Amino acid sequence: MAANSSAILRRALLYVPASSPRMLAKSLSLTSDNITYDLEDAVTPSAKPGARTALTAHLSNLTARPSTIRELAVRINAVSTPFALSDLTALAPLPQVDAIVVPKVASASDLTFVTDALRHLAPSRHAAASSSSSPTTRPIKLIALIESARAITDLSSICGASPYLSGLIFAAEDFALDMSLTRTPSLSEFLYARSAIATAARAASLPSTIDLVCTSYKREEGLARLEEECRGGKAMGFNGKQCIHPSQVETVQRLFAPGEEEVEWAVRIVIADEKAASAGRGAWTLDGAMIDAPVVGKAKTIVSRAESCDMDVETLRNKWKDQEPE
């Protein structure tokens, strides 16, 4: 059970405090795959009602999502708090809300609660019998924050808890607190948890796996650390990263998009494979390397993601239109 859509692209998930009128206004001028308005960690308990009201007004005044933003999301408060239902009651009916980020998901029941609330509060978008991928209903997608040892051990149930679930996010700081860990630059203490999340998301066909926050974002040292974390996360199977400052977004979106050489290689594979298939050839070679079905599948995935990232794939197709399988 998942909102299985390869069209979902969340390279950068940028948090914006809902308690800041200035940041709410500024957010609409940013370029990011995802903007997540935060009602949880960024807002003190006493300020939550005011932040919720301000965010509701902010979203209600939007006639359309800015073209530079692919998705508008809201991080509500945890289901275990007295704030979650009020958050959902105020925001779920708004057509401008594309996704809900659910924090501190410890078990499937947390997502079941949110799913039931969405069906009650926005029934036209969440009819229980309708397809979650129907373009006419456009249901609110759910993204689950994995923050505890309990959640890591229950990932299979969590991934199957809601037809609207479309991704997992790893919350490193809360996980470190739960496990009494100290975060180090190597991030080795999170290796098991991150691998488990990326693997579980893939097994459940969830389109989005969002890696931990890079807490460094100032000066050259911060940029170098961010780039290192992006490459490491991508190598582990994550396809996006949380951002806590707008200055991180460009780097994150660039590094979680396919590289130019990678896309060119993939286009050559796809073109040559079409010709090999026409000739009845299963395995063949390119540049001295054997190409078989798994390699072709990887190449097709890269091309599809490059197109989603608005890369100029058509020019590459024309450049390599004469590519033959060797």
Side-chain angles (χ1 to χ4, degrees):
M1 296 173 66
N4 183 14
S5 173
S6 58
I8 295 175
L9 187 68
R10 297 188 187 109
R11 292 167 294 175
L13 184 148
L14 175 64
Y15 291 113
V16 175
S19 55
S20 171
R22 180 181 65 83
M23 292 184 180
L24 287 178
K26 181 181 178 182
S27 68
L28 300 177
S29 66
L30 299 174
T31 297
S32 182
D33 287 346
N34 171 289
I35 296 289
T36 293
Y37 295 113
D38 191 8
L39 287 169
E40 195 214 12
D41 284 350
V43 184
T44 61
S46 62
K48 289 184 186 295
R52 184 188 306 121
T53 299
L55 179 57
T56 302
H58 169 74
L59 291 172
S60 297
N61 289 332
L62 285 181
T63 55
R65 185 185 341 108
S67 61
T68 55
I69 300 171
R70 294 176 183 265
E71 180 178 65
L72 290 175
V74 177
R75 176 159 71 168
I76 63 171
N77 286 280
V79 169
S80 59
T81 72
F83 306 109
L85 186 56
S86 296
D87 294 341
L88 289 167
T89 300
L91 294 158
L94 301 182
Q96 299 86 347
V97 176
D98 298 309
I100 296 283
V101 176
V102 186
K104 296 178 175 58
V105 173
S107 67
S109 62
D110 292 327
L111 295 180
T112 300
F113 173 87
V114 177
T115 298
D116 290 343
L118 291 179
R119 286 173 172 164
H120 176 73
L121 296 165
S124 64
R125 294 176 68 180
H126 304 93
S130 68
S131 169
S132 64
S133 60
S134 170
T136 56
T137 58
R138 200 176 64 83
I140 294 175
K141 298 177 287 292
L142 301 182
I143 316 170
L145 268 160
I146 305 301
E147 313 190 26
S148 66
R150 180 183 174 189
I152 292 294
T153 61
D154 203 20
L155 281 170
S156 179
S157 295
I158 288 170
C159 288
S162 173
Y164 311 127
L165 184 65
S166 72
L168 302 179
I169 307 173
F170 178 49
E173 305 307 322
D174 287 271
F175 183 78
L177 176 64
D178 185 49
M179 293 287 291
S180 298
L181 300 174
T182 299
R183 178 171 176 159
T184 65
S186 72
L187 303 178
S188 59
E189 60 277 3
F190 300 131
L191 178 60
Y192 172 75
R194 293 166 78 202
S195 297
I197 289 169
T199 302
R202 175 58 63 188
S205 299
L206 299 181
S208 188
T209 47
I210 310 297
D211 203 8
L212 44 69
V213 165
C214 179
T215 55
S216 301
Y217 62 89
K218 295 182 179 178
R219 298 183 293 275
E220 291 184 6
E221 295 85 352
L223 178 59
R225 174 65 56 81
L226 178 61
E227 291 183 349
E228 181 181 0
E229 287 191 14
C230 287
R231 293 189 176 96
K234 186 176 181 179
M236 292 186 69
F238 288 89
N239 54 25
K241 191 172 183 66
Q242 299 166 85
C243 298
I244 55 174
H245 193 274
S247 64
Q248 296 178 318
V249 172
E250 189 280 329
T251 297
V252 168
Q253 298 208 153
R254 172 172 52 83
L255 291 177
F256 276 98
E260 292 182 5
E261 292 184 2
E262 185 181 24
V263 177
E264 188 158 5
W265 169 84
V267 167
R268 292 177 65 200
I269 295 288
V270 170
I271 291 173
D273 182 66
E274 292 170 354
K275 297 177 180 179
S278 297
R281 297 173 59 183
W284 41 279
T285 62
L286 184 72
D287 298 338
M290 191 179 87
I291 308 299
D292 56 8
V295 178
V296 173
K298 178 182 178 181
K300 289 180 178 178
T301 298
I302 291 171
V303 171
S304 176
R305 187 164 177 84
E307 290 172 336
S308 296
C309 295
D310 298 324
M311 300 178 73
D312 189 4
V313 174
E314 192 58 36
T315 295
L316 289 174
R317 288 184 184 275
N318 290 331
K319 176 181 177 180
W320 292 101
K321 63 181 185 297
D322 296 325
Q323 177 69 59
E324 297 286 341
E326 298 169 359

